[in-house]
Amino acid sequence: MPERSPETHVIDYRAAEQLLAARDPGGAIRLLDSVITAHPENTAARLLRARAFFLSAQLRPAELEFQIVLEREPDNAFAHFALARTLERASRPDEALRHFRLAAALEPRPEFLEAARFGPERGNGDRAAGPNDGAP
């Protein structure tokens, strides 16, 4: 296999973005593997690969990638939110809620606030239990 250049890695990263947008997470993962092997410090590539793992239902690898991103960028609200969604999907709601709340505290976007249960229902950050709480 010919040696890969930095430009090739940029092309692979951009192609992986397109594959993810086209709902081909497996293809995106394959491209990003070589990018991350060559540039393990590239947080953007790791975040994109974490999203691809999540979309392909590979929850443990997604969780590990999101955690690496958060070790490097603890104030990354999106990474907290995405890790929370991953944990939620893995049936770990208490851990998920912590990251939903961190995401909402870092960036009070409506979807982050709703997931963190910081809604208008209560002023103290908690909400009344709903009929679907605790349901799988």
Side-chain angles (χ1 to χ4, degrees), residues 12-13 16 27-37 45 48-50 52:
D12 286 348
Y13 177 85
I29 292 167
R30 283 188 293 280
L31 287 175
L32 291 166
D33 285 345
S34 66
V35 174
I36 292 170
T37 297
L48 190 61
R49 186 166 71 170

Side-chain angles (χ1 to χ4, degrees), residues 47 66-67 69-71 73-88 95-107 112 115:
L47 187 57
F66 286 129
Q67 288 174 342
V69 170
L70 288 169
E71 285 173 12
E73 298 178 3
D75 61 344
N76 187 321
F78 176 80
H80 279 289
F81 182 78
L83 175 57
R85 285 281 183 231
T86 303
L87 294 168
E88 181 180 64
E95 292 173 78
L97 183 59
R98 176 179 177 270
H99 287 282
F100 280 136
R101 289 188 170 179
L102 284 166
L106 290 165
E107 191 175 323
F112 293 0

Side-chain angles (χ1 to χ4, degrees), residues 10-29:
V10 170
I11 291 167
D12 286 348
Y13 177 85
R14 296 293 180 214
E17 287 180 316
Q18 294 300 315
L19 287 170
L20 203 55
R23 296 289 200 208
D24 181 3
I29 292 167

